[in-house]
Amino acid sequence: MTPPSPMTPADPRRYMDPAFRGDVRFLTSLLGEIIREQEGRRFFQTVERIRVLAKASRAHPSSEGRQLLRVIEALPYPQALKVARAFTIYFQLVNLAEEAQRIRRIRWYESQPGQLLEMSLSWTAHRFKTARISARKVLQALRESRIMPVLTAHPTEVRRRTTMDHLADIAAALEAWRDPLATPHEKLEQERFIREGLEILWTTNEARQRKLTVADEVSQTLFFLERTILNLVPDVYGRVQELIRPLDSDQAPSPWLPTFLRFGSWVGADRDGNPSVTPEVTWETAKAHRGVILEFYQRRMEELIRRFSQA
């Protein structure tokens, strides 16, 4: 949770993207400051010692590994829980930085002429054009296709919806913090927002204090539906339409794409081994999904009304 030490020739960080490494340093340093403030310097030093020993044990498992085990076994149970929380949040922040770097990498590929990311839509369209596959054939294939990602609850997923919301907000603030056009004041505001989010995470129970219910699983599924899927689907259709249009030079394809992408969900409906999933639960689950989708449509309609203000 402190800035990484100088790199050795064998240090894998030598091969990390500098922006990714900077994000990790920024986020984990803020986390370290919050742990010091909330739990005291002595506890922070314990966390740092475990981190250093864990890292060293990869190179010298026999000596540092045994020492690491002794340190962990000597921890009182309440302190061990806090240490586990510290490293849980640490790796969640590393994952956020990695996702941000992946997005930057994809955007870089898309901004470079001739640099096509394998398996991307642009790469697929280029292969279609090289193979002289017409837009008409692509549209026909789409009409005959049914792509249906199915969401499901994972039995080991114990994160609360609240935790997932906080992490998503921190990720958005990190992107704004990295904006090259952001002013010093704006960067400071984003840093304050991230610090606040990390402090809330530190004082929030990571796992529920009760058994996971079907309603909890539904809430987690709706998190991804609201945060990602509903906003992404129109963009996917727009990108597909944009990329297949140039495949025919003499005949433009229909402006309306067939509905080839649908989503399903096992959550709240799977009767295989979960006695809590009753017909009533399935009905309530369906209503919850319907409500989220209708609210999304309503917001988009209101945006259209505000945008297109002609009499």
Side-chain angles (χ1 to χ4, degrees):
M1 289 93 183
T2 57
S5 57
M7 291 180 286
T8 62
D11 197 317
R13 284 175 293 163
R14 295 179 64 215
Y15 307 101
M16 288 183 185
D17 181 271
F20 169 57
R21 191 165 63 244
D23 287 350
V24 171
R25 182 190 300 267
F26 170 64
L27 292 173
T28 57
S29 295
L30 288 179
L31 176 61
E33 293 175 11
I34 289 168
I35 291 175
R36 269 197 305 269
E37 294 171 0
Q38 296 288 322
E39 306 298 332
R41 180 173 295 276
R42 187 173 180 180
F43 175 78
F44 173 77
Q45 290 172 343
T46 299
V47 173
E48 276 297 286
R49 186 183 182 195
I50 292 174
R51 184 184 69 84
V52 172
L53 285 173
K55 181 179 176 182
S57 67
R58 298 182 63 183
H60 307 285
S62 58
S63 56
E64 276 80 0
R66 287 194 298 270
Q67 186 178 356
L68 173 63
L69 184 60
R70 287 194 296 269
V71 171
I72 294 176
E73 288 178 339
L75 291 174
Y77 180 71
Q79 194 173 33
L81 283 179
K82 291 183 179 180
V83 168
R85 177 179 297 179
F87 282 99
T88 296
I89 298 177
Y90 176 88
F91 286 114
Q92 287 172 340
L93 297 179
V94 172
N95 287 340
L96 289 185
E98 185 177 8
E99 290 173 2
Q101 168 59 16
R102 203 174 290 140
I103 293 171
R104 286 195 297 267
R105 193 66 177 168
I106 292 173
R107 286 176 174 171
W108 181 87
Y109 270 108
E110 292 185 348
S111 67
Q112 302 300 311
Q115 292 283 348
L116 300 178
L117 182 62
E118 189 173 353
M119 305 304 293
S120 66
L121 288 174
S122 300
W123 178 82
T124 304
H126 175 73
R127 294 194 64 188
F128 284 158
K129 191 170 184 178
T130 303
R132 298 182 181 277
I133 297 176
S134 67
R136 187 187 301 276
K137 290 184 178 180
V138 175
L139 287 171
Q140 182 59 36
L142 291 176
R143 292 188 187 96
E144 298 171 358
S145 301
R146 174 173 291 188
I147 303 171
M148 182 180 286
V150 177
L151 305 175
T152 184
H154 199 287
T156 62
E157 176 61 79
V158 296
R159 285 186 303 173
R160 300 165 58 190
R161 169 70 184 262
T162 303
T163 299
M164 298 164 69
D165 282 329
H166 287 316
L167 290 171
D169 291 339
I170 291 172
L174 177 64
E175 182 179 0
W177 179 82
R178 285 201 57 85
D179 186 350
L181 298 179
T183 65
H185 173 72
E186 290 170 337
K187 292 179 74 71
L188 181 60
E189 285 298 307
Q190 295 303 327
E191 180 178 335
R192 288 173 178 166
F193 183 84
I194 293 173
R195 183 188 296 272
E196 179 184 278
L198 290 175
E199 186 173 344
I200 293 172
L201 274 180
W202 179 252
T203 54
T204 299
N205 288 327
E206 167 69 13
R208 297 175 180 84
Q209 301 302 307
R210 53 178 175 78
K211 184 178 179 181
L212 186 70
T213 66
V214 178
D216 295 325
E217 295 176 346
V218 172
S219 177
Q220 289 175 334
T221 303
L222 294 179
F223 170 87
F224 296 104
L225 191 67
E226 292 176 274
R227 286 275 187 167
T228 304
I229 293 173
L230 290 177
N231 290 299
L232 183 61
V233 170
D235 292 338
V236 171
Y237 276 87
R239 288 291 304 278
V240 171
Q241 182 176 353
E242 173 187 335
L243 291 171
I244 67 174
R245 181 177 288 113
L247 295 180
D248 280 343
S249 57
D250 57 341
Q251 181 180 2
S254 168
W256 297 105
L257 291 177
T259 301
F260 60 88
L261 180 61
R262 301 177 185 273
F263 286 86
S265 176
W266 284 106
V267 183
D270 185 7
R271 302 282 196 284
D272 186 11
N274 190 344
S276 299
V277 179
T278 62
E280 292 76 19
V281 167
T282 300
W283 177 242
E284 292 301 321
T285 299
K287 289 197 295 184
H289 282 72
R290 180 181 63 183
V292 167
I293 293 170
L294 290 177
E295 287 176 5
F296 173 78
Y297 284 151
Q298 181 176 349
R299 289 194 302 270
R300 297 304 293 266
M301 288 298 296
E302 290 171 352
E303 291 171 5
L304 289 174
I305 292 171
R306 286 193 297 267
R307 177 175 176 81
F308 297 102
S309 57
Q310 298 95 328

